């Protein structure tokens, strides 16, 4: 057991899975000698050599598209896309192929591959380095979407993602990479995909969040009796845990960094309306970014849901 | 040998040669400042002074941007050090009617075109308004690598459809040449014979990935031939050569001759951006070798030989450049803070119903 940050925890998960399974390889831009722009793959080139930790040409479509072929043939590619905004170049490969091969071939072929990518506001970068587009990916049947919130679940979830028989998009909050440390067991362990974690038990408000916003939602909850659910996997998500909690609390607040319109909060809210309507004591509230493009550094703090906005939402459901 | 060797040739060699393509390299002024005057573009002393003074200005802009970043006064910045000849030589070769499509590493191009430096500093400080200068036929810098290539092909196509005698030009890197966007953009421009100039600054690196990892081909220039256009490699540290080739390509485009791919062979002397540490992946020796070949030294040597350069001239011009840059930094920093409502306001031409509610909800409404 050691205190690790998320960068170190993911690095450890990669190293241990690579040791265990010779088919696991890392591909991407700057992942080898540079160790990734966030240093997540640092040291892996030295450990596993240039046949398994591979700098590719600068082409996200090529990276994801070849990962489909690599995976179909029996390798287990873990592709790093440098920032979430650059996955867009590879969408056709993800949406038209990776997520559909199993269905298209009625099970004859599959794509057990992982696409890792940093997401969200966090590093005051140029444009397109702060995207939170989980809902876009969660909408595609056949693709799994995982978002860890701390070093412990980052390691366990990544191990599951690598071993998963289907393609997984693994989103890492750039803001959290080095900002939290927690105990991470040295040995390999896995956390099942599709299961939420009850981050904090409570009885009056069910709060659903993931990644960066989980922490903000928790910090804002001091004066409230919140049950905070860390979704961990966005697709497929743990409907049972959410519905059961709402049945207990009668109130739901969903918090996410992405714009509200068609954000994943809409899915959570709709599910609760369908399955726990009779238990609701207040309308569901979503706290999210506005219906607009993520701004650059100067305005990004205004865009990201603030603690005050989250507190207001808690008050709103309590006072209804 | 990977890729390039003959060992991998198919044994059934074709009997008929369909087409041969040659890729040439152009240099006008060498590293010692010696020139081949038969190739020299006819810009004369005034032209060279303009090259030199614009280079000093761009260098000063760049130098200050790096120090502002260190002081936390702007955000992550991509340096142009080493690429000034490629950027300024090309920018000055276009006419103001031509449209330019820059990547994020084109401060030199924008400065050469007279784009307000204070707005560039605003942009790099994370303020979108820095890209909103009216009256410049310059698209906002493109951050996703290579994605701007088809835009230029499209704009050039539009010029042709409208019968305008102009050219569109797009700037991208060696890394950008690996993107599908590059190939599709060139292909469209080739098929529609669009008046487009594709300008690759091959600075040998895409962050930590060397040029050899982008393509197994010998040059990037030769890729033009597969799309039915001429490709040429030019010494990207030789401003005379860059200017000459770009000027000809732009004129060819405007007069209906179709697109050209130009590879400026140059070098990124700084880290990739201020967020990078290049010592992790490349040697000091390599950098030192290229430092000796950097574009300003060569230009100075040539102008000195011609009697167009003196120490006093350079000092006076450098001082002017610095003063211009200082004034623009002042202006940039005195500028109003951006209004949070701007986040929403420019999503569509008109606000949506949802956005009107959000302006109130977020407390940004007026
Ligand atoms: C589509 C895309 N992928 C990745 C990145 C991150 N990134 C920014 S610059 C860069 C390298 C670009 O290399 P090159 O095209 O040679 O241009 P240079 O930086 O050398 O000017 C990378 C990988 C990006 N901005 N866009
Ligand atoms: Mg480059």
């Amino acid at each position: 057991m050691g205190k690790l940050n998320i960068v170190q925890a993911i690095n450890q998960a990669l190293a241990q899975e690579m040791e265990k399974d010779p088919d696991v390889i890392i591909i991407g831009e700057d992942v080898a000698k540079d160790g990734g722009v966030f240093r997540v793959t640092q040291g892996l080139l030295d450990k596993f050599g240039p046949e398994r930790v591979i700098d590719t040409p600068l082409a996200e479509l090529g990276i994801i598209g070849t990962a489909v072929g690599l995976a179909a043939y029996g390798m287990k590619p873990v592709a790093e896309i440098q920032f979430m905004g650059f996955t867009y170049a590879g969408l056709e490969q993800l949406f038209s192929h990776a997520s559909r091969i199993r269905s298209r071939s009625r099970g004859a072929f599959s794509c057990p591959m992982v696409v890792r990518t940093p997401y969200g506001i966090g590093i005051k970068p140029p444009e397109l380095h702060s995207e939170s587009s989980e809902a876009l990916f969660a909408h595609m049947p056949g693709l799994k979407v995982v978002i860890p919130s701390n070093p412990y679940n980052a390691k366990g979830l990544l191990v599951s993602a690598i071993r998963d028989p289907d393609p997984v998009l693994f989103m890492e909050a750039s803001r959290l990479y080095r900002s939290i440390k927690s105990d991470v067991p040295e040995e390999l362990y896995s956390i099942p995909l599709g299961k939420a974690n009850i981050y904090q038990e409570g009885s009056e408000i069910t709060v659903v969040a993931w990644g960066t916003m989980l922490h903000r939602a928790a910090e804002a909850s001091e004066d409230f009796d919140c049950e905070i659910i860390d979704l961990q996997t966005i697709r497929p998500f743990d409907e049972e845990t959410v519905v059961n909690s709402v049945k207990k609390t009668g109130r739901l607040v969903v918090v996410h960094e992405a714009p509200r319109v068609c954000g994943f909060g809409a899915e959570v809210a709709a599910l609760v309306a369908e399955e726990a309507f009779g238990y609701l004591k207040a309308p569901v509230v979503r706290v999210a970014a506005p219906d607009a493009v993520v701004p650059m550094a100067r305005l990004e703090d205004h865009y990201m849901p603030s603690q005050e906005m989250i507190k207001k939402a808690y008050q709103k459901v309590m006072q209804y | 040998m990977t890729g390039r060797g003959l060992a991998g040739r198919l044994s059934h060699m074709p009997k008929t040669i369909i087409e041969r393509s040659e890729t040439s390299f152009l240099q006008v002024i060498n590293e010692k400042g010696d020139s081949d005057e038969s190739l020299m573009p006819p810009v004369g002393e005034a032209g060279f002074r303009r090259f030199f003074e614009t280079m000093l200005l761009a260098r000063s802009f760049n130098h200050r941007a790096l120090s502002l970043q260190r002081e936390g006064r702007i955000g992550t910045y991509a340096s142009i050090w080493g690429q000034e000849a490629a950027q300024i030589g090309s920018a000055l070769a276009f006419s103001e009617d031509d449209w330019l499509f820059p990547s994020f590493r084109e401060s030199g191009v924008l400065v050469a075109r007279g784009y307000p430096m204070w707005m560039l500093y605003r942009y790099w400080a994370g303020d979108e308004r820095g890209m909103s200068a009216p009256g410049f036929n310059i698209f906002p810098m493109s951050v996703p690598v290579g994605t701007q290539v088809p835009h230029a092909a499209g704009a050039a196509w539009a010029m042709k459809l409208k019968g305008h005698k102009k050219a569109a030009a797009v700037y991208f890197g060696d890394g950008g040449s690996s993107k599908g966007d590059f190939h599709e953009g060139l292909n469209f421009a080739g098929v529609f014979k669009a008046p487009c100039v594709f300008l690759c600054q091959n600075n040998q690196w895409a962050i930590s990935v060397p040029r050899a990892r982008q393509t197994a081909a010998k040059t990037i220039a030769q890729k033009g031939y597969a799309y039915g256009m001429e490709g040429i490699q030019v010494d990207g540290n030789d401003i005379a050569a860059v200017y000459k080739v770009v000027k000809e390509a732009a004129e060819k485009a405007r007069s209906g001759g179709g697109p050209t791919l130009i590879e400026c062979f140059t070098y990124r002397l700084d880290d990739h951006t201020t967020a990078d540490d290049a010592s992790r992946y490349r040697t000091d020796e390599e950098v030192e070798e290229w430092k000796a070949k950097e574009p300003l030294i060569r230009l100075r040597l040539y102008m000195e030989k011609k009697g167009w350069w003196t120490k006093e001239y350079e000092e006076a011009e450098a001082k002017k450049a610095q003063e211009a840059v200082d004034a623009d930094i002042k202006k940039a920093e005195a500028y109003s803070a951006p209004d949070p409502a701007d986040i929403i306001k420019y999503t569509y031409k008109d606000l949506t119903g949802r956005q009107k509610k959000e302006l109130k909800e977020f407390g940004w409404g007026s």
Side-chain angles (χ1 to χ4, degrees), chain A residues 48-109:
Chain A
F48 300 102
E51 301 277 298
R52 294 187 68 196
V53 182
I54 308 157
D55 279 334
T56 64
L58 199 169
E60 287 74 13
L61 182 147
I63 293 169
I64 295 172
T66 55
V68 169
L70 284 160
Y73 194 78
M75 301 301 291
K76 286 197 182 155
V78 178
E80 177 176 300
I81 300 298
Q82 211 156 74
F83 286 92
M84 179 147 220
F86 309 137
T87 60
Y88 300 161
L91 290 191
E92 181 165 40
Q93 290 298 333
L94 265 184
F95 291 176
S96 306
H97 295 294
S99 64
R100 289 176 183 239
I101 293 285
R102 181 182 297 284
S103 173
R104 178 179 297 147
S105 66
R106 289 297 182 260
F109 291 96

Side-chain angles (χ1 to χ4, degrees), chain B residues 174-175 201 203 205-206:
Chain B
D174 42 312
Q201 286 170 81
N203 63 5
W205 292 93

Side-chain angles (χ1 to χ4, degrees), chain A residues 29-30 33-35 37 39 42 54-60 82 86 89 124-129 260-261 288-299 302-303 309 312, chain B residues 75-76 122-128 143-145 175-176 178-179 206-209 213-214 276-277 280-281 337-340 342-344 347-348 352 354-355 358 361-362 364:
Chain A
E29 295 157 14
D30 307 288
K33 208 162 182 183
D34 203 31
V37 294
R39 311 286 179 254
Q42 179 150 294
I54 308 157
D55 279 334
T56 64
L58 199 169
E60 287 74 13
Q82 211 156 74
F86 309 137
K124 300 216 175 286
E127 200 196 342
L128 278 154
H129 291 65
R260 173 170 17 206
V261 178
D291 186 11
V293 173
V294 196
M296 279 162 50
R298 283 300 298 268
L299 291 172
H302 293 275
Y303 180 86
M309 285 168 63
K312 258 198 206 156
Chain B
T76 305
R122 292 296 307 170
Y123 175 77
W124 287 109
D127 184 345
E128 285 85 353
V143 169
V145 168
S178 294
K179 288 284 300 288
I207 310 188
S208 73
V209 181
R213 192 46 75 93
Q214 300 301 342
D276 176 47
D277 172 9
R280 292 171 63 86
Y281 52 79
D339 179 357
D342 284 1
I343 295 175
I344 287 184
T347 318
Y348 302 102
T352 64
R354 159 62 52 198
Q355 289 177 321
E358 283 172 346
E361 227 176 83
F362 282 77
W364 303 336

Side-chain angles (χ1 to χ4, degrees), chain B residues 74-108:
Chain B
I74 65 168
T76 305
Y77 174 75
S79 172
I80 63 162
W81 186 31
Q83 298 178 221
E84 294 92 342
Q87 297 203 359
I88 286 137
S90 60
L92 295 181
F94 291 110
S95 92
E96 296 205 339
D97 283 341
D98 297 330
W99 277 53
L100 306 186
F101 292 79
S103 86
F104 52 85
R105 198 189 297 288
E106 258 74 72
S107 301

